[in-house]
Amino acid sequence: MTETIPLTIKSAPGKAATIGGGVQAMAHEILSHLERLHETGETGAIDLKSLPMAPDEFHGIKKMLGQGELDLTVHMDGPTRIRETAFPGVWWVQHKGENDRILAEYIEIARFPDFLSAQPDHIAEAVRHLRDRLEEQSQGAA
Amino acid sequence: MSIDNRKERPTIGQIMDENGVGRRRFLKYCAGITALMAMPPGMTAAFAQQLRAARRPTIIYMPFQECTGCLESLTRSFAPSLESLMFETISLDYNHTLQAAAGDAAEEARHEAMEEAWGEYILICDGSIPTKMDGIYGTSAGHSFTDQLHEAAEGAAAIVAVGVCASFGGVGAAYPNPTGAVGVSEIIKDKPIINVPGCPPIPEVMTGTLVSFLASGVPDLDNNLRPKAFFGNTIHDRCYRRRFYDRGLFAESFDDEGARNGWCLYKLGCRGPTTYNACATIKWNGGTSWPVEAGHGCLGCSEPEFWDQGGFYEPVTSKLFNDTGQIAAGAAAGVAVGAAAAVAANRRKKKLSGTADKETSS
Amino acid sequence: MSTATQNLSGAPAAEERLSPSEREERAMSEFAHHFGAYTATNLESCIHCGMCADACHFYIATEDPKYTPILKAEPFKQAYRRESGAFAPFYKLLGLKKKVTVDELEEWQELLFDSCSQCGRCSLICPMGIEVAEMIEIGRRGMAAAGLAPKALMDRARHQAETGQPEESEKPYPEVLREIGKEHDLEVKLDKDKADILVCLPRTDLDQNPESVAAMIKIFDRLGADYTFRSDALIAENYGYYAGSRGLQKRITSRITDAAKKLGASLVIVPECGHAYTALRWQAAEILGERLPFRVRHVTEFLAEQLEAGKLKLSKVNGDTFAFHDPCQLVRKGGIMDAPRQLMDAMDVDLREMHNKKGFSFCCGGGGGVNDLESAKDLRNRAQTMKLREIDDTGAKRFLTSCSDCRVSFNEAGENQDWNKKTESLIELVATQIKE
Amino acid sequence: MTLLEFSRGPMLHFALFVFVFAVLWRLISTFMLGWRKRKSEWRTTSGSSAVKGAIAVGNRSWPHPEFLERTAFGEAVGYGYHIGLFAIILLGAPHVIFWKNLFGISATWWPTIPSGIIHVISVVTIFLLLIATIRRYMHPPLRRISNFDDWFTLVILFGLMISGVMAVFGLGGRYEIILAVHIISFNVLLIWFPFSKLMHAFYILPARFFIGYTHAKKGAST
């Protein structure tokens, strides 16, 4: 039982130590979120836009997190890109508006990115819609 | 006016559905807004839900002593996209400057709009209000600005003071303030007031404030009544040049090596350390750039007494001693009093030591 | 004022009859006499760093904070702040500095007399460069003026001013001197009318160390100097200085200076006594307010000059190792840095230096009149213990010094603590090694 | 008028006035109290004594090794916070700007230390001041001779240092308020200066010179 289970990753995580303190701190924050997700299922997120980061730090974090299996782009008033990092459960989410302007960019720690899930109020409405449809049908049948 | 003539208005969610705006498009828009407001990304979905449930607001936009710069800024805030739709949704029911109607027709339209949403509309004020000589420095439709403000404020759910003038008096209140100009909060005391200062304010901050008010009411405010979400940090705290400050690297003039290297502009009068605003993160012109990035220090336009903080090119810590005469007078007086004290002490010594000296001389 | 003259007339009970307010007034008056730019700079400079405590043998020996040197100067400082400092009127008006009261002065008597030997080590450590010892000395002067100096010192000072010797002795000291001469088969040149050199003697040597007196006579004889002792100016010590009384100190000093002037002497020799040196070498001219028409030299200083001039020839001491105690008043405060060592070098003395030597030497524990105070006995014993240990640490067999007062102190300490060394006089050693 | 404007406007003006006025008052009155003419036969001439006096001004900065065993700790702490304070005040970038503005000089030669180093120095200096304070309280002679002057001066220094650090690190409230508190504590320091032990900054020169001079004349140890 000593053999390690290999993670399926596209690019190996970079070495954070060579980048600097800011990246280290970020890595620790992600780790604590990830532990919580693992133990309690609680999700978390870290906003990247509000952190005053130097470009090299930003790239340092990107490099450290690496690239996982998924890399989706959704076009919707500009591209929204959702990447799974080399650490499953850690997602890199970037919303761009028209003209490639970044609206929001954050790291999400969750089983699945919230943006892609159906929201409760959406679902509530879907329940209503589907019920209406069925009623229409049954009325039509009658 | 009373609440009897109020009209039921659709929710924002309904408007979005009518315009065929997908839910994820809306969610994405909200992600942008929450990011602007530095809300945790996990809050986005909840925020979107609240915003969808909010009713389409009525907005009354009242210009006073203003230059239309803030309105220019506001109307330029949106690229033709979902944001513009949001803007239309919260569009102005009354605005002097933008609407086609003029004169009595305009006044009538305003009163109608106010009546239809009495007690629920948002009043946006732009410009300072002159108070000297019963406010005759600013009148419109035969009423002074103060009277108009009082009337419009009465039926408002909240007031948003847009720009440094409406917030704190701004340029109108600059020394010597001939018209007795003040900000809205000096006159209206019984309504929630949100200040969105700046000259002009960042457009995203204006819409962000409005949207967050729609979703969850009056946001957390600082002691200058500014939303903490946008005005919680200084420019200096969030400045990308901060690390040069920390390393003691400063531009000494606008054309020196330091300026070319993009070093800290503190010594050139940057007001970053004492200015609370979101320029460093949200930036201007759709995130293109902002003053410090363009090589000029912050002027501190979102702060009270913006115009009276000393020269723009004097550092924050400056505006110090300029009266050398006073120092010289102090020095001269010190020497004189010191000499007098010594003379008095020597006289006292002679008196006190009279016996002792006699003792030794005997 | 009548009280003043009474004091000077030396009526023993005069100062005991003073009322508290008279005492306060007199202390203030004496303090005021010392107000000036120099003392002011010293008093204004203190930053209360407490370092002077670490220089003081009395503090180091006891670790009692009240022995912090600058604290001893407090009455004078207080008087200065209230009456002479730049903001004196405010201190006075707002009551920030109270008048120096008799109670305070009485409290300070122990600090100013028992626990200060005027050794001046504190003045060396002060990072601000304050002459702490001098400020304490002024404190003593205020005490003396107020009639609050220890009776043991005051009585002796008055006696010395009146009669030339501090206490009645079995025989008058000139008589004692003559007998010592007879005993050692030496001719005593006493009371010559004219002489180039006036030599004084410590009364402690006359009382306790006749060998030392004989050594002085022998040395001056061998040098063939034109010298004399004078009955009216025989005793070198100045109890007026010990007690802090400016008036008495001046009268006692005048005995020597007047005699020297009468003799037409060009040189006055201070014998092995530290305070006598300070009193005559550095304070006589100041207290008399005139330049002295003669030079004042300590005997070691004089002998070193003779050595250099080739007039004094010394033979070598063999064998033993020596330690030497630098008397504070001669070395640290008096500036006789090299003379004793020049003499020892000439005798090829195998000198083992103490850890604190020359200007940094610890006091013997009994200088400045402390030896004369019964009340100070315990305190000085504790300081002496420290000193004896330092001497023993040198590993030297024999122990030398050049001050009779220090010898008194070391002898007392030696007796108390069963110390195995005898304190010897440098002059005696020179006398035994002097070549024909 | 905001607190910040008050602190660096009228209050600073007032504090500077008091400082210059009272410092000169105290110094002038001290040095005009009269000099005694000394009459002893000196070992050295006045000229060479003056040289020795000047040397003593520098020499006293370094303790004699004989005393170090007992005083090294106190000396080190004292030295430490003095160096710290001077480095911060004279070489910290915002302070340099402050002085330049105050004196109206451009002084492009005036160097600054990178803020990161100043931050470290500040924290160390506060720590050393704290040790000095504890020592003043714990060390018996120090405690015995300490008075209001000593304690109050420390309070002001702490106020100054802590508000400065808080302003720099953005702690405890809004920057301009903390900055104002910082400048106000500086003003209080300026006003307190001439009446307090802080005057040692001026007296240290003449006092050391005098002891060097008078001891040289006697040949005594300095």
Side-chain angles (χ1 to χ4, degrees):
Chain A
M1 291 296 286
T2 50
E3 66 191 84
T4 49
I5 301 159
L7 296 170
T8 315
I9 49 176
K10 280 187 172 172
S11 77
K15 281 203 179 109
T18 57
I19 310 286
V23 182
Q24 287 278 26
M26 173 70 80
H28 280 289
E29 196 180 342
I30 293 171
L31 176 64
S32 73
H33 277 298
L34 204 53
E35 282 169 347
R36 231 174 302 153
L37 177 68
H38 178 58
E39 281 152 23
T40 68
E42 190 188 326
T43 62
I46 299 162
D47 187 23
L48 293 168
K49 229 187 142 191
S50 61
L51 298 173
M53 265 188 300
D56 50 344
E57 274 182 309
F58 195 81
H59 290 298
I61 294 163
K62 227 172 191 169
K63 202 176 144 203
M64 178 201 71
L65 291 176
Q67 176 62 52
E69 283 179 326
L70 295 181
D71 189 346
L72 323 170
T73 303
V74 184
H75 288 277
M76 198 178 262
D77 299 333
T80 285
R81 191 170 170 205
I82 300 172
R83 294 191 303 111
E84 187 182 31
T85 68
F87 302 92
V90 181
W91 304 87
W92 189 291
V93 184
Q94 186 191 55
H95 294 294
K96 277 186 174 172
E98 309 274 324
N99 309 327
D100 264 5
R101 180 182 151 202
I102 295 171
L103 296 175
E105 186 156 24
Y106 51 91
I107 292 169
E108 194 170 349
I109 296 93
R111 293 183 57 207
F112 196 65
D114 200 42
F115 183 73
L116 295 178
S117 355
Q119 302 300 326
D121 61 329
H122 301 188
I123 298 167
E125 222 156 301
V127 169
R128 219 174 48 237
H129 261 214
L130 190 55
R131 192 175 287 141
D132 287 352
R133 184 71 60 83
L134 286 173
E135 272 169 25
E136 268 170 41
Q137 256 179 8
S138 61
Q139 276 165 11
Chain B
M1 276 181 268
S2 70
I3 57 168
D4 302 338
N5 301 323
R6 260 187 354 205
K7 278 188 179 166
E8 189 74 353
R9 283 157 295 128
T11 65
I12 289 173
Q14 283 165 344
I15 299 169
M16 290 295 150
D17 290 345
E18 278 163 26
N19 286 282
V21 175
R23 287 161 186 281
R24 275 210 180 72
R25 267 180 81 194
F26 189 71
L27 191 61
K28 180 168 171 175
Y29 170 75
C30 289
I33 292 280
T34 52
L36 278 184
M37 291 165 58
M39 283 165 71
M43 295 283 289
T44 307
F47 182 84
Q49 197 171 330
Q50 275 176 319
L51 189 57
R52 281 183 70 85
R55 299 214 170 272
R56 172 194 170 279
T58 295
I59 291 180
I60 307 291
Y61 194 110
M62 299 281 288
F64 299 116
Q65 287 193 133
E66 46 92 35
C67 68
T68 316
C70 296
L71 188 60
E72 287 279 341
S73 174
L74 185 62
T75 54
R76 263 156 187 69
S77 66
F78 307 108
S81 67
L82 184 99
E83 286 166 333
S84 62
L85 186 69
M86 261 320 283
F87 182 41
E88 277 159 28
T89 304
I90 62 169
S91 72
L92 312 175
D93 293 81
Y94 169 83
N95 185 304
H96 237 107
T97 318
L98 294 180
Q99 67 199 6
D104 290 344
E107 286 303 295
E108 227 165 87
R110 174 162 70 95
H111 282 102
E112 196 178 317
M114 280 162 57
E115 210 158 314
E116 282 175 7
W118 190 251
E120 290 180 343
Y121 60 81
I122 298 170
L123 175 64
I124 297 183
C125 295
D126 182 4
S128 59
I129 301 102
T131 57
K132 267 194 193 157
M133 300 186 75
D134 292 330
I136 60 154
Y137 286 106
T139 59
S140 163
H143 297 284
S144 71
F145 287 166
T146 32
D147 289 346
Q148 288 190 318
L149 174 60
H150 277 295
E151 188 199 16
E154 205 192 335
I159 302 171
V160 178
V162 157
V164 72
C165 298
S167 298
F168 310 122
V171 69
Y175 179 82
N177 192 357
T179 65
V182 294
V184 173
S185 57
E186 293 283 305
I187 294 175
I188 304 299
K189 302 287 182 191
D190 57 351
K191 290 283 174 187
I193 294 173
I194 305 168
N195 286 334
V196 186
C199 191
I202 303 172
E204 285 88 339
V205 170
M206 285 191 266
T207 47
T209 301
L210 288 173
V211 167
S212 98
F213 176 76
L214 291 181
S216 47
V218 179
D220 241 4
L221 303 177
D222 71 2
N223 53 4
N224 282 320
L225 305 179
R226 300 176 293 196
K228 280 186 184 165
F230 301 110
F231 298 91
N233 293 107
T234 62
I235 298 290
H236 190 57
D237 285 338
R238 295 287 161 136
C239 181
Y240 76 105
R241 296 195 187 201
R242 173 64 186 259
R243 55 211 165 105
F244 295 113
Y245 172 88
D246 288 340
R247 275 153 55 193
L249 298 173
F250 297 96
E252 305 276 352
S253 75
F254 283 109
D255 59 353
D256 71 355
E257 196 59 27
R260 273 188 284 276
N261 289 337
W263 290 350
C264 179
L265 298 165
Y266 184 92
K267 290 189 180 179
L268 292 171
C270 180
R271 290 281 181 277
T274 52
T275 303
Y276 291 78
N277 209 338
C279 305
T281 43
I282 297 175
K283 303 191 185 177
W284 286 78
N285 298 328
T288 308
S289 182
W290 62 293
V292 170
E293 200 170 329
H296 192 286
C298 166
L299 298 181
C301 71
S302 59
E303 291 300 310
E305 299 184 50
F306 158 44
W307 292 99
D308 295 325
Q309 293 185 69
F312 286 148
Y313 302 102
E314 288 167 13
V316 177
T317 46
S318 86
K319 207 182 100 178
L320 303 170
F321 207 78
N322 40 27
D323 191 353
T324 41
Q326 191 185 331
I327 278 284
V335 171
V337 175
V343 169
N346 284 334
R347 198 169 296 158
R348 205 154 50 239
K349 168 185 166 157
K350 213 164 268 171
K351 197 180 126 205
L352 286 167
S353 67
T355 24
D357 284 344
K358 209 179 283 169
E359 190 185 320
T360 40
S361 57
S362 65
Chain C
M1 238 180 264
S2 61
T3 44
T5 37
Q6 250 177 5
N7 185 26
L8 284 174
S9 73
E15 74 254 6
E16 282 157 31
R17 283 199 307 268
L18 291 172
S19 73
S21 67
E22 276 174 311
R23 286 183 199 277
E24 282 162 12
E25 214 172 280
R26 286 165 146 245
M28 193 61 225
S29 152
E30 179 64 24
F31 287 149
H33 173 81
H34 297 277
F35 291 161
Y38 178 75
T39 45
T41 306
N42 276 291
L43 295 173
E44 296 282 14
S45 297
C46 183
I47 49 170
H48 295 169
C49 71
M51 238 177 245
C52 44
D54 289 314
C56 177
H57 48 291
F58 289 121
Y59 171 73
I60 297 174
T62 60
E63 301 265 323
D64 186 334
K66 72 177 174 179
Y67 297 133
T68 305
I70 197 67
L71 182 66
K72 299 170 187 169
E74 191 58 31
F76 178 45
K77 207 170 170 181
Q78 193 177 329
Y80 164 79
R81 279 272 151 85
R82 187 177 156 87
E83 300 291 352
S84 179
F87 307 122
F90 298 101
Y91 277 112
K92 215 168 173 175
L93 207 68
L94 304 173
L96 295 173
K97 283 282 174 234
K98 303 268 182 293
K99 219 169 152 178
V100 182
T101 62
V102 165
D103 290 345
E104 245 171 295
L105 289 172
E106 278 171 353
E107 194 190 329
W108 249 262
Q109 196 199 51
E110 188 217 348
L111 298 182
L112 286 166
F113 289 94
D114 295 38
S115 70
C116 179
S117 51
Q118 284 292 308
C119 81
R121 208 165 178 263
C122 45
S123 306
L124 272 195
I125 201 172
C126 179
M128 289 296 300
I130 301 169
E131 262 282 19
V132 187
E134 199 174 320
M135 300 302 113
I136 299 172
E137 190 183 305
I138 294 169
R140 281 185 166 201
R141 298 210 179 274
M143 294 291 284
L148 291 169
K151 201 168 170 341
L153 299 178
M154 216 42 195
D155 284 351
R156 283 172 192 152
R158 195 172 296 108
H159 201 277
Q160 193 182 6
E162 294 294 320
T163 68
Q165 58 183 66
E167 279 170 303
E168 288 301 335
S169 52
E170 240 173 85
K171 284 173 212 156
Y173 286 128
E175 191 64 26
V176 175
L177 174 61
R178 248 185 233 114
E179 277 175 20
I180 293 172
K182 219 175 278 169
E183 218 168 285
H184 290 80
D185 209 13
L186 293 163
E187 186 203 348
V188 177
K189 291 184 176 135
L190 184 61
D191 293 335
K192 279 166 61 176
D193 285 336
K194 286 281 172 239
D196 193 34
I197 304 173
L198 171 65
V199 181
C200 303
L201 290 170
R203 70 133 181 162
T204 37
D205 279 355
L206 286 164
D207 278 337
Q208 302 171 22
N209 306 308
E211 298 300 325
S212 211
V213 176
M216 287 286 278
I217 302 171
K218 186 178 165 191
I219 291 167
F220 279 89
D221 276 347
R222 290 292 150 85
L223 288 170
D226 173 19
Y227 81 101
T228 183
F229 300 107
R230 289 284 306 184
S231 301
D232 51 356
L234 185 60
I235 303 303
E237 284 105 325
N238 190 325
Y239 271 90
Y241 173 56
Y242 283 165
S245 163
R246 220 152 31 93
L248 295 174
Q249 181 179 347
K250 186 176 173 182
R251 288 175 64 195
I252 295 165
T253 290
S254 299
R255 286 182 161 274
I256 297 173
T257 54
D258 288 351
K261 283 179 201 165
K262 235 184 278 163
L263 277 175
S266 69
L267 176 66
V268 174
I269 294 294
V270 178
E272 293 193 299
C273 176
H275 283 81
Y277 187 71
T278 294
L280 203 61
R281 178 73 174 89
W282 302 121
Q283 294 197 344
E286 312 304 332
I287 216 160
L288 295 171
E290 60 181 36
R291 290 186 189 285
L292 302 179
F294 49 83
R295 293 181 299 141
V296 176
R297 292 292 178 270
H298 186 253
V299 58
T300 53
E301 232 176 343
F302 173 72
L303 293 179
E305 280 171 20
Q306 298 301 308
L307 196 65
E308 225 158 272
K311 289 179 188 156
L312 177 67
K313 300 256 190 303
L314 296 170
S315 62
K316 299 194 185 327
V317 192
N318 39 12
D320 292 340
T321 51
F322 287 85
F324 179 74
H325 163 65
D326 292 276
C328 316
Q329 303 295 329
L330 298 180
V331 182
R332 173 162 47 247
K333 287 176 87 179
I336 304 174
M337 288 292 157
D338 304 317
R341 281 175 182 71
Q342 280 174 328
L343 293 173
M344 287 186 279
D345 275 354
M347 297 183 286
D348 208 17
V349 165
D350 183 2
L351 185 62
R352 303 293 160 91
E353 293 283 14
M354 278 181 256
H355 178 60
N356 290 290
K357 58 175 187 288
K358 291 196 173 172
F360 299 93
S361 166
F362 271 119
C363 173
C364 62
V370 174
N371 269 337
D372 294 79
L373 298 174
E374 195 55 33
S375 55
K377 199 170 176 188
D378 180 53
L379 185 61
R380 73 173 172 258
N381 277 347
R382 295 173 73 171
Q384 284 160 345
T385 312
M386 193 169 75
K387 181 75 190 186
L388 295 190
R389 197 173 309 131
E390 206 172 88
I391 297 166
D392 286 341
D393 285 346
T394 61
K397 275 228 178 71
R398 292 169 70 183
F399 174 55
L400 282 175
T401 189
S402 196
C403 168
S404 57
D405 214 15
C406 297
R407 278 175 88 187
V408 170
S409 182
F410 286 121
N411 287 339
E412 181 194 58
E415 265 170 50
N416 281 338
Q417 310 189 19
D418 252 349
W419 195 46
N420 58 6
K421 287 190 187 65
K422 185 171 156 274
T423 308
E424 299 173 54
S425 146
L426 178 61
I427 291 305
E428 285 177 42
L429 189 69
V430 168
T432 55
Q433 303 302 116
I434 198 163
K435 283 184 187 163
E436 295 305 316
Chain D
M1 185 179 287
T2 64
L3 192 64
L4 181 61
E5 282 175 295
F6 171 74
S7 68
R8 67 186 184 196
M11 191 184 181
L12 178 65
H13 283 219
F14 174 75
L16 282 167
F17 178 83
V18 170
F19 176 79
V20 172
F21 170 66
V23 162
L24 280 167
W25 173 353
R26 188 159 165 189
L27 289 177
I28 294 286
S29 80
T30 301
F31 299 132
M32 277 185 60
L33 284 179
W35 303 87
R36 194 156 290 180
K37 215 164 162 55
R38 304 207 183 201
K39 299 199 153 52
S40 297
E41 177 210 344
W42 304 118
R43 289 192 202 271
T44 56
T45 62
S46 295
S48 68
S49 301
V51 171
K52 293 240 172 81
I55 292 171
V57 170
N59 262 358
R60 277 282 157 128
S61 298
W62 195 246
H64 294 294
E66 281 83 354
F67 298 126
L68 265 182
E69 192 187 322
R70 293 187 65 89
T71 62
F73 182 71
E75 292 265 3
V77 172
Y79 250 102
Y81 74 73
H82 274 86
I83 291 172
L85 287 173
F86 277 110
I88 296 163
I89 294 166
L90 296 178
L91 298 172
H95 298 139
V96 171
I97 296 167
F98 177 88
W99 297 124
K100 287 181 183 176
N101 279 297
L102 189 61
F103 302 127
I105 49 172
S106 69
T108 44
W109 47 265
W110 198 324
T112 54
I113 296 181
S115 306
I117 298 174
I118 290 288
H119 298 167
V120 173
I121 294 175
S122 307
V123 173
V124 170
T125 303
I126 290 178
F127 180 69
L128 289 173
L129 272 174
L130 196 66
I131 292 178
T133 309
I134 293 169
R135 189 166 172 270
R136 186 168 280 286
Y137 188 77
M138 304 288 287
H139 189 263
L142 256 178
R143 187 174 173 176
R144 180 68 183 78
I145 60 176
S146 295
N147 56 13
F148 175 78
D149 186 356
D150 300 304
W151 298 116
F152 188 62
T153 302
L154 278 168
V155 166
I156 297 177
L157 279 182
F158 273 116
L160 202 52
M161 287 298 300
I162 290 171
S163 61
V165 167
M166 280 167 64
V168 164
F169 290 111
L171 302 171
R174 302 170 60 82
Y175 177 80
E176 67 273 16
I177 301 291
I178 304 289
L179 181 64
V181 169
H182 184 60
I183 297 176
I184 286 170
S185 17
F186 174 65
N187 293 339
V188 171
L189 184 89
L190 277 182
I191 294 168
W192 176 241
F193 195 108
F195 307 98
S196 70
K197 66 186 291 197
L198 289 165
M199 278 298 284
H200 77 271
F202 293 104
Y203 281 119
I204 193 166
L205 298 176
R208 284 178 173 186
F209 176 81
F210 290 160
I211 203 167
Y213 179 81
T214 55
H215 282 204
K217 288 204 136 193
K218 292 197 269 190
S221 303
T222 42

